[in-house]
């Protein structure tokens, strides 16, 4: 009877296999933290401030106020995120919000235009602004930041001209204010609008060619065109979509406040980009994304609200938003570099495992 001798495994092979296993586990852990770390921080912030200020912060009323009051900011942040998918920066989304709230109230309260017709006019105006931004970027070769800053200045000047520099609050009908002040089954209408928009945008960006082709553009228009992407068409959609979202936010603000204010708009710009850039560090690290923007916006909101409940000064909001932009851009850049390093390691690993002479 023959004796079968088992050859002991090579210790070097075993050690390399263990090292690869540990490295893979470490990479998965880092990936999980980078994807969901901000979500965990959001819950941690809520828990900490709830313990620190249970009587004022940890209340249903406070949470409801934060969720509802930030819907306008979140929608503007979604508007800013849409062009960022293609590496464009639209600085006119804040002024577009301001003009939309001013025009809607001016048409309804001063000119006596029916509400539905005023809303249609605001949407048409938003489309025109989006087309103007596209024209400046594609046909005149302007950088998106310069073009949209110029457009934003035009919009703020137009808002001041329409309102005459005064707050318009008289003759605003209840049928208009009911758009953003009502509830549906106990849920505030602004939250319902926001949920519908987020679901729709997430579907468009993740599950349709629209978002994938915007990502593929990533500021490299010539490369995208060589790949068969209609650059002009997708740029138009990005800028027009951003303007329309900003106009929706403006109408909701006007309906909720019940007035038009000549100075509203620009103050929404930094919080919007803070949420968009910080959101690029969550869920899909290194890439701006709609759900990430929403999570980041509410992380900033709950944190600022908690600090203010503890007696922080009002200027803390500006400082925190500025820090959010810095941290968000830095983390997104780190995620991009890390993704490239992992891709290189994966290629090298495949080359090592490939049979020699193949």
């Amino acid at each position: 009877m023959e004796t079968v001798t088992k050859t002991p495994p090579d210790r070097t092979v075993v050690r390399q296999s263990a090292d690869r296993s540990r490295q893979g586990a470490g990479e998965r852990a880092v990936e999980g933290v980078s994807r969901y770390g901000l979500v965990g921080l959001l819950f941690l912030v809520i828990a900490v401030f709830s313990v620190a200020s249970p009587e004022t912060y940890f209340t249903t009323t406070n949470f409801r106020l934060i969720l509802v009051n930030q819907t306008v900011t979140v929608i503007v942040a979604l508007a800013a995120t849409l062009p960022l998918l293609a590496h464009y920066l639209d600085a006119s989304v804040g002024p577009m919000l301001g003009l939309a709230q001013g025009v809607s109230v001016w048409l309804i309260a001063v000119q006596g235009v029916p509400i539905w017709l005023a809303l249609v006019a605001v949407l048409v105006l938003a489309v025109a602004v989006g087309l103007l931004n596209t024209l400046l970027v594609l046909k005149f070769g302007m950088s998106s930041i310069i073009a949209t800053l110029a457009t934003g200045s035009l919009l703020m000047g137009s808002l001041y001209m329409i309102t005459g520099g005064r707050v318009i609050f008289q003759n605003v009908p209840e049928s208009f204010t009911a758009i953003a002040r009502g509830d549906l089954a106990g849920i505030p209408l602004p939250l319902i609008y926001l949920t519908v928009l987020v679901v729709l945008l997430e579907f468009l960006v993740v599950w349709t060619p629209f978002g994938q082709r915007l990502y593929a553009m990533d500021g490299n228009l010539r490369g995208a065109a060589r790949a068969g992407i209609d650059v002009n068409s997708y740029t138009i959609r990005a800028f027009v979509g951003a303007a329309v979202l900003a106009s929706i936010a403006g109408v909701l603000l006007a309906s909720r406040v019940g007035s038009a204010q000549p100075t509203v708009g620009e103050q929404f710009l930094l919080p919007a980009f803070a949420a968009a850039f910080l959101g690029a560090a969550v869920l899909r690290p290194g890439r701006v994304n709609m759900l990430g923007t929403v999570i980041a916006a509410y992380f900033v909101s709950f944190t600022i609200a908690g600090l203010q409940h503890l007696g922080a000064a009002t200027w803390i909001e500006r400082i925190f938003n500025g820090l959010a932009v810095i941290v968000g851009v830095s983390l997104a850049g780190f995620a991009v570099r890390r993704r490239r390093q992992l891709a290189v390691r994966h290629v090298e690993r495949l080359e090592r495992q490939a049979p020699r002479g193949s």
Side-chain angles (χ1 to χ4, degrees):
M1 181 176 181
E2 297 183 357
T3 302
V4 179
T5 304
K6 294 184 179 180
T7 304
D10 188 355
R11 292 182 178 180
T12 303
V13 174
V14 173
R15 188 182 303 112
Q16 289 177 348
S17 177
D19 290 343
R20 284 196 298 268
S21 178
R22 285 194 296 269
Q23 185 179 22
E27 290 177 354
R28 288 192 295 271
V30 173
E31 182 71 15
V33 171
S34 63
R35 283 179 178 273
Y36 306 109
L38 191 64
V39 179
L41 282 177
L42 173 59
F43 286 106
L44 179 62
V45 162
I46 294 175
V48 168
F49 286 119
S50 295
V51 172
S53 183
E55 295 181 357
T56 58
Y57 188 85
F58 189 62
T59 64
T60 303
T61 301
N62 181 51
F63 289 168
R64 181 186 175 98
L65 284 175
I66 295 174
L67 291 173
V68 174
N69 289 343
Q70 292 302 312
T71 52
V72 171
T73 302
V74 176
I75 295 175
V76 180
L78 293 173
T81 301
L82 191 56
L84 282 174
L85 294 174
H87 214 68
Y88 292 119
L89 197 152
D90 189 347
S92 67
V93 290
M96 183 68 242
L97 173 150
L99 186 61
Q101 59 94 31
V103 169
S104 59
V105 173
W106 177 73
L107 287 175
I108 295 170
V110 178
Q111 302 300 320
V113 175
I115 294 175
W116 69 268
L117 185 56
L119 299 183
V120 170
V122 169
L123 291 178
V124 171
L125 178 62
V127 172
V129 170
L131 292 176
L132 174 60
N133 286 333
T134 307
L135 177 67
L136 294 176
V137 171
L138 292 183
K139 298 302 180 183
F140 290 88
M142 299 175 65
S143 67
S144 60
I145 178 62
I146 298 298
T148 54
L149 279 174
T151 302
S153 182
L154 292 175
L155 298 182
M156 292 306 296
S158 300
L159 172 61
Y160 199 90
M161 177 185 66
I162 290 173
T163 60
R166 302 186 303 273
V167 176
I168 302 175
F169 62 91
Q170 295 179 333
N171 301 323
V172 178
E174 292 184 1
S175 53
F176 177 68
T177 57
I179 293 175
R181 293 182 182 178
D183 288 358
L184 180 62
I187 304 174
L189 288 177
L191 284 179
I192 295 176
Y193 302 146
L194 176 60
T195 302
V196 171
L197 285 175
V198 171
V199 171
L200 177 61
L201 290 170
E202 183 70 6
F203 173 78
L204 288 175
V205 169
V206 176
W207 299 103
T208 70
F210 171 75
Q212 303 305 317
R213 288 170 183 169
L214 281 181
Y215 275 128
M217 289 167 62
D218 195 27
N220 186 3
L221 301 185
R222 291 182 180 180
R226 293 194 197 100
I229 298 175
D230 189 346
V231 171
N232 291 350
S233 173
Y234 282 91
T235 302
I236 290 173
R237 297 181 200 183
F239 279 117
V240 170
V244 169
L245 286 172
S247 70
I248 293 173
V251 170
L252 286 179
L253 178 63
S255 173
R256 183 167 176 78
V257 177
S259 64
Q261 303 179 40
T263 58
V264 166
E266 292 180 329
Q267 67 266 37
F268 284 90
L269 199 55
L270 185 58
F273 280 108
F277 286 123
L278 190 59
V282 63
L283 299 184
R284 302 180 188 96
R287 288 186 172 184
V288 292
N289 61 91
M290 297 298 173
L291 285 180
T293 295
V294 176
I295 293 170
Y298 278 116
F299 168 76
V300 173
S301 301
F302 275 97
T303 303
I304 292 174
L307 292 173
Q308 291 175 342
H309 275 269
L310 295 180
T314 55
W315 46 260
I316 196 67
E317 182 174 356
R318 291 181 177 272
I319 291 179
F320 199 88
N321 282 324
L323 289 174
V325 172
I326 295 172
V327 172
V329 173
S330 301
L331 290 177
F334 170 78
V336 170
R337 292 191 298 272
R338 182 176 176 277
R339 190 165 59 241
R340 290 173 180 171
Q341 291 173 354
L342 291 177
V344 171
R345 291 178 187 174
H346 181 68
V347 172
E348 292 175 348
R349 190 179 300 120
L350 291 177
E351 291 176 347
R352 288 195 300 268
Q353 295 174 352
R356 293 181 179 180
S358 61

